[in-house]
């Protein structure tokens, strides 16, 4: 049960932090480092649904442009009707052309690691094409002060 909770905690911490790209050239304080060997490697792709934060502004902009264009036609109450119709059509077109949500694929790697003290840990982290892991690789498990764990190959 203890291993499961640790694996779940590591997974949750890493996946929630997966959105923030790991920058190798950025200094982050390290809390501790464990050394071990990779027992298994599994690539994971995870789809993530992202809300379009600019959707309201796009609809507003479409309605504004439609209203300006509609105002060019007619006179009197006909112009008012054309302006309103143009604003409604512009907002509708802008809202339909830009969905509120889009998906993004997260590329992750799941590593099962046995440390020098013979404990096993499962870690999920961002896939890095410059750091491809294989079974048997000697690795460092770096616990960062910001709560994340990062696995790097020993050189």
């Amino acid at each position: 049960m203890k291993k499961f909770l640790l694996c779940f905690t590591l997974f949750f911490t890493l996946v929630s932090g997966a959105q923030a790209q790991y920058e190798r050239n950025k200094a982050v304080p390290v809390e501790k480092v464990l050394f071990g060997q990779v027992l298994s490697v599994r690539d994971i792709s995870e789809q993530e649904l992202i809300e379009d934060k600019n959707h309201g502004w796009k609809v507003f902009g479409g309605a504004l442009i439609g209203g300006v264009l509609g105002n060019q036609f007619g006179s009197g109450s006909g112009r008012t009707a054309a302006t309103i119709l143009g604003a409604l059509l512009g907002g509708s077109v802008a809202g339909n052309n830009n969905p509120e949500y889009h998906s993004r694929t997260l590329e992750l790697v799941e590593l099962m690691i046995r440390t020098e003290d013979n404990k096993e840990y499962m870690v999920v982290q961002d896939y890095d094409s410059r750091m491809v892991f294989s079974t048997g690789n000697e690795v460092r498990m770096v616990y960062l002060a910001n709560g994340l764990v990062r696995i790097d190959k020993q050189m």
Side-chain angles (χ1 to χ4, degrees), residues 73 88 94 103 137:
F73 301 100
L88 290 173
S103 66
N137 285 147

Side-chain angles (χ1 to χ4, degrees), residues 67-80:
V68 168
L69 291 175
N71 194 42
Q72 304 301 313
F73 301 100
S75 62
S77 63
R79 176 176 277 177
T80 303

Side-chain angles (χ1 to χ4, degrees), residues 20-28 126 128 130 144 146 148 150:
Q21 290 291 60
Y22 178 78
E23 297 177 34
R24 293 187 183 279
N25 60 350
K26 187 174 183 180
V28 177
D126 292 335
D128 184 348
R130 299 167 296 179
L144 303 172
N146 61 7
L148 297 178
R150 183 70 190 181

